[in-house]
PDB file of all heavy atoms in Angstrom:
ATOM      1  N   LYS A 302      -8.932  48.488   1.458  1.00 97.00           N
ATOM      2  CA  LYS A 302      -9.577  47.216   1.131  1.00 97.00           C
ATOM      3  C   LYS A 302      -9.754  46.346   2.369  1.00 97.00           C
ATOM      4  O   LYS A 302     -10.620  45.489   2.409  1.00 97.00           O
ATOM      5  CB  LYS A 302      -8.740  46.421   0.112  1.00 97.00           C
ATOM      6  CG  LYS A 302      -8.229  47.211  -1.088  1.00 97.00           C
ATOM      7  CD  LYS A 302      -9.345  47.700  -1.984  1.00 97.00           C
ATOM      8  CE  LYS A 302      -8.797  48.346  -3.252  1.00 97.00           C
ATOM      9  NZ  LYS A 302      -8.298  49.719  -3.040  1.00 97.00           N
ATOM     10  N   VAL A 303      -8.849  46.474   3.371  1.00 97.00           N
ATOM     11  CA  VAL A 303      -8.918  45.609   4.540  1.00 97.00           C
ATOM     12  C   VAL A 303     -10.147  45.960   5.372  1.00 97.00           C
ATOM     13  O   VAL A 303     -10.567  47.129   5.378  1.00 97.00           O
ATOM     14  CB  VAL A 303      -7.644  45.738   5.431  1.00 97.00           C
ATOM     15  CG1 VAL A 303      -6.439  45.195   4.704  1.00 97.00           C
ATOM     16  CG2 VAL A 303      -7.423  47.154   5.895  1.00 97.00           C
ATOM     17  N   PRO A 304     -10.724  45.010   6.052  1.00 97.00           N
ATOM     18  CA  PRO A 304     -10.383  43.594   6.059  1.00 97.00           C
ATOM     19  C   PRO A 304     -11.060  42.852   4.908  1.00 97.00           C
ATOM     20  O   PRO A 304     -12.259  42.612   4.951  1.00 97.00           O
ATOM     21  CB  PRO A 304     -10.930  43.108   7.397  1.00 97.00           C
ATOM     22  CG  PRO A 304     -12.110  44.013   7.663  1.00 97.00           C
ATOM     23  CD  PRO A 304     -11.847  45.316   6.948  1.00 97.00           C
ATOM     24  N   LEU A 305     -10.290  42.520   3.883  1.00 98.00           N
ATOM     25  CA  LEU A 305     -10.852  41.911   2.681  1.00 98.00           C
ATOM     26  C   LEU A 305     -11.491  40.557   2.988  1.00 98.00           C
ATOM     27  O   LEU A 305     -12.587  40.241   2.519  1.00 98.00           O
ATOM     28  CB  LEU A 305      -9.750  41.777   1.629  1.00 98.00           C
ATOM     29  CG  LEU A 305     -10.176  41.587   0.173  1.00 98.00           C
ATOM     30  CD1 LEU A 305     -11.227  42.610  -0.253  1.00 98.00           C
ATOM     31  CD2 LEU A 305      -8.967  41.681  -0.741  1.00 98.00           C
ATOM     32  N   LYS A 306     -10.785  39.755   3.799  1.00 98.00           N
ATOM     33  CA  LYS A 306     -11.303  38.421   4.107  1.00 98.00           C
ATOM     34  C   LYS A 306     -12.632  38.541   4.859  1.00 98.00           C
ATOM     35  O   LYS A 306     -13.607  37.852   4.548  1.00 98.00           O
ATOM     36  CB  LYS A 306     -10.280  37.648   4.946  1.00 98.00           C
ATOM     37  CG  LYS A 306     -10.663  36.192   5.202  1.00 98.00           C
ATOM     38  CD  LYS A 306      -9.435  35.380   5.629  1.00 98.00           C
ATOM     39  CE  LYS A 306      -9.745  33.904   5.729  1.00 98.00           C
ATOM     40  NZ  LYS A 306     -10.376  33.537   7.003  1.00 98.00           N
ATOM     41  N   GLY A 307     -12.649  39.468   5.833  1.00 98.00           N
ATOM     42  CA  GLY A 307     -13.880  39.668   6.601  1.00 98.00           C
ATOM     43  C   GLY A 307     -15.034  40.126   5.725  1.00 98.00           C
ATOM     44  O   GLY A 307     -16.172  39.679   5.885  1.00 98.00           O
ATOM     45  N   LYS A 308     -14.723  40.985   4.782  1.00 98.00           N
ATOM     46  CA  LYS A 308     -15.781  41.463   3.883  1.00 98.00           C
ATOM     47  C   LYS A 308     -16.352  40.307   3.075  1.00 98.00           C
ATOM     48  O   LYS A 308     -17.569  40.130   2.966  1.00 98.00           O
ATOM     49  CB  LYS A 308     -15.226  42.534   2.934  1.00 98.00           C
ATOM     50  CG  LYS A 308     -15.028  43.887   3.607  1.00 98.00           C
ATOM     51  CD  LYS A 308     -14.365  44.866   2.661  1.00 98.00           C
ATOM     52  CE  LYS A 308     -14.211  46.210   3.358  1.00 98.00           C
ATOM     53  NZ  LYS A 308     -12.988  46.915   3.026  1.00 98.00           N
ATOM     54  N   LEU A 309     -15.441  39.522   2.486  1.00 98.00           N
ATOM     55  CA  LEU A 309     -15.900  38.414   1.635  1.00 98.00           C
ATOM     56  C   LEU A 309     -16.710  37.399   2.441  1.00 98.00           C
ATOM     57  O   LEU A 309     -17.748  36.913   1.996  1.00 98.00           O
ATOM     58  CB  LEU A 309     -14.697  37.736   0.970  1.00 98.00           C
ATOM     59  CG  LEU A 309     -14.013  38.592  -0.102  1.00 98.00           C
ATOM     60  CD1 LEU A 309     -12.589  38.127  -0.339  1.00 98.00           C
ATOM     61  CD2 LEU A 309     -14.815  38.542  -1.397  1.00 98.00           C
ATOM     62  N   GLU A 310     -16.214  37.086   3.643  1.00 98.00           N
ATOM     63  CA  GLU A 310     -16.938  36.114   4.476  1.00 98.00           C
ATOM     64  C   GLU A 310     -18.315  36.653   4.851  1.00 98.00           C
ATOM     65  O   GLU A 310     -19.310  35.922   4.838  1.00 98.00           O
ATOM     66  CB  GLU A 310     -16.112  35.777   5.728  1.00 98.00           C
ATOM     67  CG  GLU A 310     -14.992  34.792   5.403  1.00 98.00           C
ATOM     68  CD  GLU A 310     -14.023  34.574   6.564  1.00 98.00           C
ATOM     69  OE1 GLU A 310     -14.008  35.420   7.491  1.00 98.00           O
ATOM     70  OE2 GLU A 310     -13.277  33.574   6.527  1.00 98.00           O
ATOM     71  N   SER A 311     -18.366  37.934   5.180  1.00 98.00           N
ATOM     72  CA  SER A 311     -19.650  38.496   5.573  1.00 98.00           C
ATOM     73  C   SER A 311     -20.629  38.539   4.403  1.00 98.00           C
ATOM     74  O   SER A 311     -21.832  38.570   4.591  1.00 98.00           O
ATOM     75  CB  SER A 311     -19.471  39.895   6.166  1.00 98.00           C
ATOM     76  OG  SER A 311     -19.144  40.817   5.149  1.00 98.00           O
ATOM     77  N   PHE A 312     -20.089  38.523   3.185  1.00 98.00           N
ATOM     78  CA  PHE A 312     -20.960  38.467   2.005  1.00 98.00           C
ATOM     79  C   PHE A 312     -21.407  37.037   1.705  1.00 98.00           C
ATOM     80  O   PHE A 312     -22.160  36.816   0.762  1.00 98.00           O
ATOM     81  CB  PHE A 312     -20.245  39.054   0.775  1.00 98.00           C
ATOM     82  CG  PHE A 312     -20.414  40.534   0.632  1.00 98.00           C
ATOM     83  CD1 PHE A 312     -19.882  41.414   1.562  1.00 98.00           C
ATOM     84  CD2 PHE A 312     -21.119  41.078  -0.440  1.00 98.00           C
ATOM     85  CE1 PHE A 312     -20.042  42.787   1.440  1.00 98.00           C
ATOM     86  CE2 PHE A 312     -21.284  42.452  -0.577  1.00 98.00           C
ATOM     87  CZ  PHE A 312     -20.746  43.304   0.367  1.00 98.00           C
ATOM     88  N   GLY A 313     -20.911  36.075   2.470  1.00 98.00           N
ATOM     89  CA  GLY A 313     -21.377  34.700   2.299  1.00 98.00           C
ATOM     90  C   GLY A 313     -20.473  33.815   1.464  1.00 98.00           C
ATOM     91  O   GLY A 313     -20.891  32.759   0.995  1.00 98.00           O
ATOM     92  N   TRP A 314     -19.222  34.233   1.273  1.00 98.00           N
ATOM     93  CA  TRP A 314     -18.297  33.428   0.469  1.00 98.00           C
ATOM     94  C   TRP A 314     -17.380  32.601   1.384  1.00 98.00           C
ATOM     95  O   TRP A 314     -16.907  33.089   2.410  1.00 98.00           O
ATOM     96  CB  TRP A 314     -17.435  34.336  -0.416  1.00 98.00           C
ATOM     97  CG  TRP A 314     -18.186  34.907  -1.583  1.00 98.00           C
ATOM     98  CD1 TRP A 314     -19.290  35.711  -1.527  1.00 98.00           C
ATOM     99  CD2 TRP A 314     -17.908  34.697  -2.973  1.00 98.00           C
ATOM    100  NE1 TRP A 314     -19.707  36.033  -2.796  1.00 98.00           N
ATOM    101  CE2 TRP A 314     -18.876  35.428  -3.705  1.00 98.00           C
ATOM    102  CE3 TRP A 314     -16.925  33.987  -3.673  1.00 98.00           C
ATOM    103  CZ2 TRP A 314     -18.890  35.440  -5.109  1.00 98.00           C
ATOM    104  CZ3 TRP A 314     -16.939  34.016  -5.058  1.00 98.00           C
ATOM    105  CH2 TRP A 314     -17.915  34.727  -5.764  1.00 98.00           C
ATOM    106  N   GLN A 315     -17.122  31.372   0.980  1.00 98.00           N
ATOM    107  CA  GLN A 315     -16.086  30.563   1.614  1.00 98.00           C
ATOM    108  C   GLN A 315     -14.752  31.178   1.213  1.00 98.00           C
ATOM    109  O   GLN A 315     -14.433  31.242   0.025  1.00 98.00           O
ATOM    110  CB  GLN A 315     -16.196  29.116   1.117  1.00 98.00           C
ATOM    111  CG  GLN A 315     -15.122  28.187   1.620  1.00 98.00           C
ATOM    112  CD  GLN A 315     -15.304  27.886   3.093  1.00 98.00           C
ATOM    113  OE1 GLN A 315     -16.404  27.563   3.540  1.00 98.00           O
ATOM    114  NE2 GLN A 315     -14.237  28.010   3.864  1.00 98.00           N
ATOM    115  N   THR A 316     -13.985  31.656   2.177  1.00 98.00           N
ATOM    116  CA  THR A 316     -12.807  32.465   1.824  1.00 98.00           C
ATOM    117  C   THR A 316     -11.502  31.861   2.338  1.00 98.00           C
ATOM    118  O   THR A 316     -11.428  31.406   3.490  1.00 98.00           O
ATOM    119  CB  THR A 316     -12.973  33.898   2.386  1.00 98.00           C
ATOM    120  OG1 THR A 316     -14.240  34.401   1.967  1.00 98.00           O
ATOM    121  CG2 THR A 316     -11.878  34.818   1.874  1.00 98.00           C
ATOM    122  N   TYR A 317     -10.508  31.837   1.472  1.00 98.00           N
ATOM    123  CA  TYR A 317      -9.172  31.336   1.840  1.00 98.00           C
ATOM    124  C   TYR A 317      -8.131  32.394   1.521  1.00 98.00           C
ATOM    125  O   TYR A 317      -8.320  33.225   0.645  1.00 98.00           O
ATOM    126  CB  TYR A 317      -8.824  30.068   1.046  1.00 98.00           C
ATOM    127  CG  TYR A 317      -9.764  28.918   1.287  1.00 98.00           C
ATOM    128  CD1 TYR A 317     -10.792  28.639   0.386  1.00 98.00           C
ATOM    129  CD2 TYR A 317      -9.637  28.103   2.421  1.00 98.00           C
ATOM    130  CE1 TYR A 317     -11.661  27.582   0.604  1.00 98.00           C
ATOM    131  CE2 TYR A 317     -10.505  27.044   2.642  1.00 98.00           C
ATOM    132  CZ  TYR A 317     -11.513  26.793   1.736  1.00 98.00           C
ATOM    133  OH  TYR A 317     -12.369  25.753   1.957  1.00 98.00           O
ATOM    134  N   MET A 318      -7.013  32.328   2.253  1.00 98.00           N
ATOM    135  CA  MET A 318      -5.860  33.161   1.915  1.00 98.00           C
ATOM    136  C   MET A 318      -4.714  32.232   1.563  1.00 98.00           C
ATOM    137  O   MET A 318      -4.525  31.192   2.208  1.00 98.00           O
ATOM    138  CB  MET A 318      -5.461  34.026   3.099  1.00 98.00           C
ATOM    139  CG  MET A 318      -6.592  34.933   3.536  1.00 98.00           C
ATOM    140  SD  MET A 318      -6.069  36.617   3.731  1.00 98.00           S
ATOM    141  CE  MET A 318      -5.775  36.743   5.411  1.00 98.00           C
ATOM    142  N   VAL A 319      -3.954  32.592   0.547  1.00 98.00           N
ATOM    143  CA  VAL A 319      -2.894  31.698   0.089  1.00 98.00           C
ATOM    144  C   VAL A 319      -1.779  32.530  -0.553  1.00 98.00           C
ATOM    145  O   VAL A 319      -2.002  33.683  -0.940  1.00 98.00           O
ATOM    146  CB  VAL A 319      -3.498  30.674  -0.917  1.00 98.00           C
ATOM    147  CG1 VAL A 319      -3.922  31.354  -2.213  1.00 98.00           C
ATOM    148  CG2 VAL A 319      -2.561  29.524  -1.198  1.00 98.00           C
ATOM    149  N   ASP A 320      -0.597  31.939  -0.630  1.00 98.00           N
ATOM    150  CA  ASP A 320       0.507  32.574  -1.348  1.00 98.00           C
ATOM    151  C   ASP A 320       0.296  32.327  -2.849  1.00 98.00           C
ATOM    152  O   ASP A 320       0.384  31.184  -3.312  1.00 98.00           O
ATOM    153  CB  ASP A 320       1.838  31.961  -0.879  1.00 98.00           C
ATOM    154  CG  ASP A 320       3.034  32.480  -1.676  1.00 98.00           C
ATOM    155  OD1 ASP A 320       2.830  33.245  -2.648  1.00 98.00           O
ATOM    156  OD2 ASP A 320       4.169  32.111  -1.321  1.00 98.00           O
ATOM    157  N   GLY A 321       0.013  33.389  -3.577  1.00 98.00           N
ATOM    158  CA  GLY A 321      -0.301  33.257  -5.004  1.00 98.00           C
ATOM    159  C   GLY A 321       0.875  32.851  -5.871  1.00 98.00           C
ATOM    160  O   GLY A 321       0.713  32.584  -7.059  1.00 98.00           O
ATOM    161  N   HIS A 322       2.069  32.820  -5.290  1.00 98.00           N
ATOM    162  CA  HIS A 322       3.241  32.396  -6.067  1.00 98.00           C
ATOM    163  C   HIS A 322       3.678  30.983  -5.706  1.00 98.00           C
ATOM    164  O   HIS A 322       4.746  30.541  -6.114  1.00 98.00           O
ATOM    165  CB  HIS A 322       4.390  33.388  -5.871  1.00 98.00           C
ATOM    166  CG  HIS A 322       4.052  34.754  -6.368  1.00 98.00           C
ATOM    167  ND1 HIS A 322       3.671  35.020  -7.663  1.00 98.00           N
ATOM    168  CD2 HIS A 322       3.995  35.963  -5.730  1.00 98.00           C
ATOM    169  CE1 HIS A 322       3.404  36.300  -7.812  1.00 98.00           C
ATOM    170  NE2 HIS A 322       3.590  36.894  -6.651  1.00 98.00           N
ATOM    171  N   ASP A 323       2.851  30.278  -4.932  1.00 97.00           N
ATOM    172  CA  ASP A 323       3.145  28.892  -4.572  1.00 97.00           C
ATOM    173  C   ASP A 323       2.112  27.992  -5.246  1.00 97.00           C
ATOM    174  O   ASP A 323       1.016  27.769  -4.705  1.00 97.00           O
ATOM    175  CB  ASP A 323       3.092  28.737  -3.048  1.00 97.00           C
ATOM    176  CG  ASP A 323       3.485  27.331  -2.608  1.00 97.00           C
ATOM    177  OD1 ASP A 323       3.342  26.384  -3.421  1.00 97.00           O
ATOM    178  OD2 ASP A 323       3.933  27.181  -1.449  1.00 97.00           O
ATOM    179  N   PRO A 324       2.425  27.491  -6.452  1.00 96.00           N
ATOM    180  CA  PRO A 324       1.437  26.731  -7.219  1.00 96.00           C
ATOM    181  C   PRO A 324       0.844  25.558  -6.442  1.00 96.00           C
ATOM    182  O   PRO A 324      -0.345  25.267  -6.571  1.00 96.00           O
ATOM    183  CB  PRO A 324       2.226  26.238  -8.433  1.00 96.00           C
ATOM    184  CG  PRO A 324       3.347  27.202  -8.569  1.00 96.00           C
ATOM    185  CD  PRO A 324       3.695  27.637  -7.172  1.00 96.00           C
ATOM    186  N   GLU A 325       1.678  24.886  -5.623  1.00 95.00           N
ATOM    187  CA  GLU A 325       1.162  23.723  -4.893  1.00 95.00           C
ATOM    188  C   GLU A 325       0.080  24.119  -3.902  1.00 95.00           C
ATOM    189  O   GLU A 325      -0.972  23.494  -3.831  1.00 95.00           O
ATOM    190  CB  GLU A 325       2.319  23.066  -4.133  1.00 95.00           C
ATOM    191  CG  GLU A 325       2.816  21.830  -4.818  1.00 95.00           C
ATOM    192  CD  GLU A 325       3.757  21.062  -3.912  1.00 95.00           C
ATOM    193  OE1 GLU A 325       4.879  21.575  -3.714  1.00 95.00           O
ATOM    194  OE2 GLU A 325       3.362  19.994  -3.430  1.00 95.00           O
ATOM    195  N   LYS A 326       0.367  25.169  -3.141  1.00 96.00           N
ATOM    196  CA  LYS A 326      -0.612  25.616  -2.145  1.00 96.00           C
ATOM    197  C   LYS A 326      -1.867  26.165  -2.825  1.00 96.00           C
ATOM    198  O   LYS A 326      -2.984  25.961  -2.381  1.00 96.00           O
ATOM    199  CB  LYS A 326       0.000  26.692  -1.230  1.00 96.00           C
ATOM    200  CG  LYS A 326       1.050  26.154  -0.276  1.00 96.00           C
ATOM    201  CD  LYS A 326       1.058  26.981   1.011  1.00 96.00           C
ATOM    202  CE  LYS A 326       2.039  26.403   2.037  1.00 96.00           C
ATOM    203  NZ  LYS A 326       3.453  26.729   1.692  1.00 96.00           N
ATOM    204  N   PHE A 327      -1.630  26.878  -3.917  1.00 98.00           N
ATOM    205  CA  PHE A 327      -2.773  27.433  -4.657  1.00 98.00           C
ATOM    206  C   PHE A 327      -3.662  26.299  -5.170  1.00 98.00           C
ATOM    207  O   PHE A 327      -4.893  26.341  -5.069  1.00 98.00           O
ATOM    208  CB  PHE A 327      -2.263  28.308  -5.814  1.00 98.00           C
ATOM    209  CG  PHE A 327      -3.348  28.945  -6.624  1.00 98.00           C
ATOM    210  CD1 PHE A 327      -4.255  29.830  -6.041  1.00 98.00           C
ATOM    211  CD2 PHE A 327      -3.490  28.667  -7.975  1.00 98.00           C
ATOM    212  CE1 PHE A 327      -5.271  30.426  -6.793  1.00 98.00           C
ATOM    213  CE2 PHE A 327      -4.497  29.265  -8.735  1.00 98.00           C
ATOM    214  CZ  PHE A 327      -5.389  30.139  -8.138  1.00 98.00           C
TER     215      PHE A 327
END
Side-chain angles (χ1 to χ4, degrees):
Chain A
K302 313 295 186 282
V303 293
L305 199 49
K306 186 162 187 278
K308 284 175 179 143
L309 290 159
E310 282 172 342
S311 72
F312 272 66
W314 286 60
Q315 176 71 48
T316 308
Y317 299 99
M318 301 229 263
V319 68
D320 175 355
H322 297 303
D323 184 335
E325 258 191 289
K326 289 210 176 76
F327 181 61

